[in-house]
Amino acid sequence: MTTPSALERPDGVPFVRKLGARLVLLPAVALSFLPPRRVRDVLNLVRRGAAPATAAQARNARDAMCAVSLCCAGPCGCLPRSLGAALLCRLGGSWLTWCTGVRVVPPFTAHAWIEADGRPIDEGVPDDYFTRLMAVTPVSRSAR
């Protein structure tokens, strides 16, 4: 027996942001099919020259991805959603922290998410619920 559920899509996302989300959706989905090492390499290249994203910028990017794609809004859309949000932030000149990892408590579940200011964005779980296995963080200005 299945339990009925409905996906919640964000309202009030500006048209321009939705347009940007549609623009990065295909590259995000394509990236999601690459091996993790290649995804990390591509994101390391793309993040160059970007300022760190604020929590509001990251939330807006995540909302835009969920507004334009049912795949991204769904429970199994974490990888394209997080990649799309990262690429959308980059279009705006900023970079968030893109993460992949696993749940800390059983059962084992892999997940991809975004962070800003050291906190997961709109995951609906405590900050320490996931353990990072890979992260692509903003490049600090002093490290260049």
Side-chain angles (χ1 to χ4, degrees), residues 75-91:
C76 295
C78 63
L79 186 55
R81 176 177 58 237
S82 63
L83 290 167
L87 295 174
L88 188 56
C89 271
R90 185 59 187 101
L91 276 181

Side-chain angles (χ1 to χ4, degrees), residues 30-115:
L31 272 175
S32 71
F33 287 103
L34 294 177
R37 181 174 47 96
R38 294 285 182 219
V39 172
R40 186 187 60 218
D41 291 346
V42 169
L43 294 181
N44 277 329
L45 183 65
V46 170
R47 74 179 175 163
R48 291 183 184 174
T54 64
Q57 289 171 317
R59 186 171 291 107
N60 289 340
R62 186 183 192 281
D63 285 349
M65 294 308 299
C66 291
V68 301
S69 169
L70 284 174
C71 172
C72 290
C76 295
C78 63
L79 186 55
R81 176 177 58 237
S82 63
L83 290 167
L87 295 174
L88 188 56
C89 271
R90 185 59 187 101
L91 276 181
S94 61
W95 185 259
L96 42 75
T97 300
W98 177 82
C99 306
T100 60
V102 296
R103 259 197 323 202
V104 174
V105 295
F108 170 83
T109 303
H111 190 56
W113 68 96
I114 58 172
E115 293 181 0

